Amino acid sequence: MSDISVAVIVGSLRKELINRKLANGVIKLKAPGFVFNFIEIGRLPLYNQDFESDPSPVVDDFRAKVAAADALLFISPEYNRSLPGVLKNAIDVGSRPYGHNAWGQKPAGLFGASPGGIGTAVMQAHLRDVLAAVGVTVYSGAEVYLTVKDGFFTESGDINEGTQKFLQGWMDGYVEFVKKMLA
């Protein structure tokens, strides 16, 4: 089997985002045969069905990158007890027009981190529902609700050693899940 291409979608636009740092750390974990590629969502226009027949090059490029991926990894903050609007917009843009869903039939993993006590638990529940609606099968192994406190990231910006070990366990399960889904 050739390398498995994983599209990594970070659900926020901030440059110093906790979840972007988290994503950068997660893709460094051991995942033999997996290649992780970030797909940026910040330049996507707001979804509007009127533009489906003549999408912008940004939309075409985004859809092509999603469609080309074998699997998906969503790492996102929680905004107002749900997923960020920019992430929902990206999912809408990639799922349309009807019959041209770039997300469908792909395996995915998802989690996020927050300074709050319950991490991103509510966002993850909502995102699972949205992804199910566009035909994505989400890894149902250990759910990851990370609370970011002092020491979560090292001075160099890496994930601390204890959290890396925990996330490696998640990654091991995700890798096996994706391989089974693609078999």
Side-chain angles (χ1 to χ4, degrees):
M1 177 181 250
S2 62
D3 285 341
I4 294 171
S5 171
V6 180
V8 180
I9 294 105
V10 178
S12 181
L13 305 179
R14 285 185 50 217
K15 289 183 179 166
E16 294 302 315
L17 177 71
I18 290 169
N19 287 280
R20 179 150 318 263
K21 286 182 187 177
L22 177 60
N24 285 326
V26 166
I27 66 169
K28 294 176 186 175
L29 297 173
K30 290 189 307 186
F34 280 53
V35 176
F36 296 90
N37 301 298
F38 283 90
I39 299 180
E40 299 302 327
I41 61 176
R43 294 184 51 227
L44 292 173
L46 291 176
Y47 172 74
N48 181 337
Q49 190 173 8
D50 292 342
F51 302 141
E52 283 183 358
S53 62
D54 188 25
S56 73
V58 171
V59 169
D60 284 339
D61 181 59
F62 174 76
R63 288 179 181 157
K65 287 177 179 175
V66 171
D70 299 311
L72 308 165
L73 178 59
F74 295 89
I75 300 177
S76 179
E78 179 174 301
Y79 289 174
N80 299 314
R81 300 279 184 202
S82 192
L83 61 150
V86 68
L87 179 54
K88 176 62 167 74
N89 183 63
I91 294 167
D92 291 343
V93 167
S95 70
R96 303 290 298 181
Y98 182 79
H100 295 89
N101 178 9
W103 305 106
Q105 311 310 310
K106 294 187 188 296
L110 63 92
F111 59 87
S114 167
I118 61 170
T120 57
V122 180
M123 176 281 297
Q124 290 183 47
H126 290 180
L127 182 54
R128 284 176 186 276
D129 288 344
V130 172
L131 292 174
V134 296
V136 173
T137 303
V138 177
Y139 172 51
S140 61
E143 294 181 358
V144 177
Y145 309 122
L146 298 170
T147 301
V148 177
K149 300 211 181 287
D150 287 341
F152 186 91
F153 294 107
T154 66
E155 288 184 22
S156 63
D158 294 325
I159 302 167
N160 71 50
E161 186 177 338
T163 304
Q164 281 185 27
K165 287 179 183 176
F166 171 75
L167 290 173
Q168 185 63 60
W170 181 91
M171 181 63 79
D172 293 345
Y174 172 72
V175 164
E176 290 307 310
F177 162 75
V178 169
K179 286 179 178 178
K180 284 179 185 175
M181 290 289 298
L182 297 177

